[in-house]
């Protein structure tokens, strides 16, 4: 009896604590690197085509660090858009990061606000997907592991942008190389990995279907980037309700 209690306590501690190392975070980031490379490369090509210098592309990838936002920024700069218009457009486009950060934050409650800000500042759609996969059956996530994941993605994105800027002069159509499909393919893989480790797969599949339908309907209503936020809120709300009703 006492042995069973000790084993149960040990397993609960294993669920509560995550002792993964920085290098484990680096390794877990590897499957997502193709997505970063393809989109980052394409972003570098577009930014160079828009007339940005190597220094400007480097700063854009390091400070903004957002694929879709960088595409839009390059396009608006090329069309002589105002600084205020660019700032507001990028702000609304990246509002989804508030939802991503809110979903990840419970796993880092043991850290100080400053450390949480450091983690959140480098959080992307891809690193969020990897983190949520690791968070299954865990109450916390390792700070070192998250830094390994985030920093690897950050540096890879920077390299991809600069490579696109340099080699883009010889590549007139990145889509012909299939680079546009690498990112959605990577997200499909992350979703499949999460479903494999989840117990209530039916609910998660239903939530995914609801999200897709919401995005399509919102896009048809010409809501632009808000369609992603609306789909995320509606699908998450339905997921919570289905979880309670089951």
């Amino acid at each position: 009896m006492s042995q069973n209690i000790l084993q149960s306590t040990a397993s609960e501690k294993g669920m509560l604590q995550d002792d993964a190392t920085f290098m484990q975070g680096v390794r877990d980031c590897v499957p997502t690197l193709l997505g970063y490379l393809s989109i980052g490369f394409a972003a570098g090509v577009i930014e160079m085509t828009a007339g940005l210098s190597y220094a400007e592309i480097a700063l854009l990838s390091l400070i903004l660090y957002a694929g879709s936002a960088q595409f839009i920024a390059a396009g608006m700069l090329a069309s002589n858009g105002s600084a205020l218009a660019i700032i507001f457009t990028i702000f609304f486009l990246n509002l989804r990061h508030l939802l991503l950060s809110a979903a990840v934050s419970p796993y880092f409650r043991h850290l100080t606000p400053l450390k949480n800000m450091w983690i959140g500042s480098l959080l992307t759609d891809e690193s969020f997907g990897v983190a949520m996969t690791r968070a299954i059956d865990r109450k916390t996530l390792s700070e070192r592991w998250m830094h390994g994941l985030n920093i690897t993605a950050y540096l890879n994105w920077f390299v991809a942008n600069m490579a696109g800027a340099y080699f883009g002069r010889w590549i007139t159509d990145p889509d012909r190389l299939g680079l546009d499909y690498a990112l959605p393919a990577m997200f499909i893989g992350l979703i499949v990995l999460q479903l494999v480790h989840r117990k209530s797969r039916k609910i998660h599949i239903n939530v995914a279907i609801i999200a897709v339908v919401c995005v399509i309907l919102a896009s048809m209503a010409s809501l632009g980037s808000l369609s992603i936020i609306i789909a995320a809120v509606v699908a998450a709300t339905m997921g919570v309700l289905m979880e309670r009703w089951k």
Side-chain angles (χ1 to χ4, degrees):
M1 176 70 109
S2 59
Q3 185 176 0
N4 291 335
I5 294 175
L6 290 174
Q7 290 177 347
S8 176
T9 303
S11 63
E12 287 179 2
K13 286 183 178 180
M15 287 183 62
L16 292 174
Q17 298 178 351
D18 183 13
D19 298 323
T21 63
F22 181 91
M23 288 308 301
Q24 283 179 286
V26 173
R27 287 192 292 269
D28 288 343
C29 187
V30 171
T32 69
L33 294 187
L34 181 59
Y36 283 106
L37 284 172
S38 61
I39 302 302
F41 189 90
V45 173
I46 298 299
E47 289 157 357
M48 179 59 71
T49 304
L52 299 181
S53 66
Y54 287 114
E56 289 170 333
I57 293 173
L59 288 173
L60 200 61
S61 63
L62 290 173
I63 298 175
L64 183 53
Y65 185 40
S68 55
Q70 287 180 221
F71 281 114
I72 290 178
M76 294 183 72
L77 286 171
S79 60
N80 296 319
S82 67
L84 191 62
I86 294 173
I87 291 172
F88 273 101
T89 301
I90 291 175
F91 173 76
F92 285 110
L93 181 67
N94 286 338
L95 274 177
R96 70 186 188 282
H97 287 283
L98 293 177
L99 299 175
L100 302 183
S101 300
V104 169
S105 62
Y107 299 98
F108 296 101
R109 286 175 178 166
H110 57 290
L111 302 180
T112 63
L114 187 61
K115 290 183 177 180
N116 272 279
M117 289 175 62
W118 169 238
I119 290 174
S121 66
L122 294 182
L123 188 67
T124 65
D125 301 306
E126 296 84 358
S127 59
F128 171 79
V130 176
M132 287 296 96
T133 300
R134 183 167 184 83
I136 298 173
D137 295 331
R138 287 185 172 87
K139 296 296 183 182
T140 64
L141 288 175
S142 167
E143 177 188 4
R144 293 174 299 173
W145 177 86
M146 197 67 197
H147 286 324
L149 175 68
N150 278 343
I151 292 174
T152 303
Y154 186 56
L155 295 178
N156 183 70
W157 178 256
F158 171 73
V159 171
N161 270 254
M162 299 312 295
Y166 181 77
F167 293 106
R169 68 190 76 175
W170 297 294
I171 301 176
T172 57
D173 187 7
D175 292 351
R176 292 183 61 185
L177 301 177
L179 297 180
D180 58 325
Y181 185 69
L183 191 65
M186 180 194 64
F187 277 114
I188 291 172
L190 290 173
I191 291 173
V192 171
L193 286 175
Q194 289 200 35
L195 288 177
V196 167
H197 294 90
R198 297 281 184 178
K199 295 179 181 179
S200 53
R201 297 176 188 172
K202 184 177 179 180
I203 292 178
H204 291 84
I205 292 174
N206 288 334
V207 169
I209 294 173
I210 292 171
V212 171
V213 172
C214 288
V215 167
I216 294 173
L217 293 176
S219 298
M220 291 173 63
S222 301
L223 295 178
S225 59
L226 286 176
S227 60
I228 300 175
I229 299 173
I230 293 172
V233 172
V234 173
T237 302
M238 294 301 297
V240 171
L241 294 176
M242 287 187 286
E243 187 74 28
R244 290 181 178 179
W245 291 342
K246 71 173 184 178

